[in-house]
Amino acid sequence: MAYTTINKSTDYFNTKLYTGNGTTDTAITGIGFSPDMSWFKGRNNTENHFLFDAVRGATKRLIPNGTSSEATEANSMKSFDSDGFTLGTMGEVNANSINYASWNWKAGTTGSGTTTGSGTDKAYSYSVNTTAGFSITKYLGNGTSGHQIPHNLGVAPSMIIVKRLDNTRHWCVGHASELWTKAAFLSSTDSFDSAYDYWDNTDPTSSVVQLSNSEAVNSGNENYIMYAFAQKTGYCNIGQYIGNGSSDGSFIYTGFAPKWFLLKKSSGSGTNWELLDSTRPTGNPNNKRLRANTSEVEATSTRADFLSNGIKIRTAGGETNTNLESYAYIAFGQSLVGSNNVPCTAR
């Protein structure tokens, strides 16, 4: 049985579903905290995913399924609020009668400093939650291999995502299962590949992420955003599983009841990023699929069962369960038992 210092996962991550009304200054509440990162997707329209964070500012959007640079959209996200956020009328977040999913994370402790490692030290700012193992860091690149970006988590992250803000570059993903010698793109079907040497072939430490001199992550005096995630017992599990090509698929032990699950085939030919959560479907099998790298509508297609302690794959599809291929994933959820052996109540 998993024990965790997080007795209530919804203090740090929550999915919020809502229906747009096309009206400006629409307040969406019920998240349970003031988000520091919010990711949106219209479930029944083909608008892009939109992502916002409090370090860059509420009105500055990024598009996870594309390479577009950061843009200020005054009529999209207007503010992060104490129990949610306020929206404008843009179709990506608030078109009339469109159903939306928003996924929200809490960081919260802010600060700034200078980077370390090789080359010229540069300014960075951050928001971090060490309890939940999540940080947001905005930094300037220095164009030198060995540039080290503090993540402020206190433990080594197991997954990081970097996006150059002022240029049309892919979202670069590093994952511990790929040993930090490879990367993939959140915005693409490309597999993890050693040709993408963004992490300088160096494992993150408990204090920094080390970068190569690639323009995708470390061009001189250019702005970047980095999202870093660390393993947290009973709340966040980051790992890899091997497919078996059967509808009686692999069981992925997370140690908690999953609420959000992002996966990508990490070997062989490229596939889409599959995105599942426990809120859009009403039960098992989990059959409401979105794709992080496309703008397509939500599809009904059996993918997995979300269980009390993990995920059971229920399809033989190539994006989820090709025989003997490896899959990288990150999952968030709620443990059955919290700190000091305090049972977590049903939610």
Side-chain angles (χ1 to χ4, degrees):
M1 184 174 290
Y3 292 81
T4 176
T5 57
I6 296 176
N7 288 329
K8 187 178 179 184
S9 66
T10 50
D11 285 343
Y12 307 101
F13 169 80
N14 212 352
T15 299
K16 177 67 178 178
L17 307 182
Y18 64 94
T19 300
N21 61 19
T23 302
T24 194
D25 297 325
T26 296
I28 304 297
T29 60
I31 290 173
F33 54 83
S34 179
D36 291 289
M37 184 173 80
S38 294
W39 179 345
F40 296 82
K41 179 65 180 85
R43 300 168 62 191
N44 55 332
N45 71 5
T46 57
E47 299 286 359
N48 290 313
H49 296 251
F50 263 23
L51 187 146
F52 304 85
D53 67 67
V55 173
R56 294 180 298 113
T59 63
K60 296 182 183 297
R61 69 100 176 103
L62 289 168
I63 298 175
N65 59 291
T67 61
S68 299
S69 57
E70 177 188 76
T72 299
E73 303 281 9
N75 209 27
S76 54
M77 167 88 79
K78 288 181 168 287
S79 63
F80 290 107
D81 306 328
S82 62
D83 189 31
F85 41 76
T86 296
L87 304 174
T89 60
M90 286 196 73
E92 287 84 351
V93 296
N94 193 25
N96 189 41
S97 300
I98 297 297
N99 296 321
Y100 292 88
S102 73
W103 304 289
N104 304 275
W105 287 262
K106 179 65 179 172
T109 300
T110 60
S112 61
T114 54
T115 62
T116 58
S118 301
T120 305
D121 295 347
K122 296 292 183 179
Y124 77 94
S125 57
Y126 68 91
S127 182
V128 65
N129 193 304
T130 56
T131 301
F134 171 55
S135 71
I136 306 166
T137 306
K138 183 180 179 182
Y139 66 90
L140 277 172
N142 72 2
T144 303
S145 292
H147 191 197
Q148 295 178 339
I149 312 302
H151 52 68
N152 291 283
L153 292 170
V155 296
S158 293
M159 182 170 174
I160 57 178
I161 304 173
V162 173
K163 175 71 176 79
R164 184 169 170 175
L165 299 180
D166 47 9
N167 191 279
T168 54
R169 294 283 179 174
H170 279 296
W171 295 67
C172 305
V173 181
H175 196 278
S177 68
E178 298 302 319
L179 305 179
W180 306 102
T181 61
K182 300 178 182 179
F185 302 134
L186 182 64
S187 39
S188 164
T189 60
D190 287 7
S191 295
F192 282 83
D193 196 318
S194 59
Y196 310 136
D197 174 24
Y198 300 142
W199 325 120
D200 209 29
N201 291 320
T202 302
D203 293 0
T205 71
S206 61
S207 57
V208 299
V209 172
Q210 186 159 311
L211 304 176
S212 71
N213 62 357
S214 169
E215 292 184 0
V217 295
N218 188 27
S219 185
N221 296 312
E222 301 294 346
N223 287 296
Y224 296 84
I225 196 75
M226 178 177 74
Y227 306 110
F229 304 90
Q231 297 261 23
K232 289 293 174 178
T233 300
Y235 168 71
C236 178
N237 182 255
I238 301 166
Q240 182 187 78
Y241 69 92
I242 305 300
N244 67 6
S246 167
S247 58
D248 183 17
S250 302
F251 174 71
I252 305 155
Y253 177 77
T254 61
F256 52 79
K259 294 179 177 293
W260 192 87
F261 184 49
L262 179 68
L263 69 145
K264 174 76 168 71
K265 187 156 76 75
S266 54
S267 62
S269 60
T271 59
N272 294 297
W273 291 81
E274 298 266 292
L275 200 165
L276 307 174
D277 64 58
S278 63
T279 307
R280 289 176 291 130
T282 56
N284 286 321
N286 193 306
N287 62 356
K288 299 296 183 184
R289 182 209 71 206
L290 287 165
R291 287 171 168 159
N293 58 292
T294 80
S295 63
E296 64 191 61
V297 300
E298 178 183 85
T300 300
S301 179
T302 296
R303 284 297 185 259
D305 289 341
F306 279 18
L307 307 175
S308 63
N309 62 348
I311 296 163
K312 174 69 172 177
I313 302 299
R314 292 296 189 187
T315 179
E319 294 184 338
T320 312
N321 193 21
T322 297
N323 189 40
L324 299 180
E325 297 284 11
S326 59
Y327 292 79
Y329 70 86
I330 180 171
F332 296 91
Q334 178 66 57
S335 177
L336 297 177
V337 178
S339 59
N340 301 313
N341 203 27
V342 177
C344 297
T345 56
R347 304 182 204 285

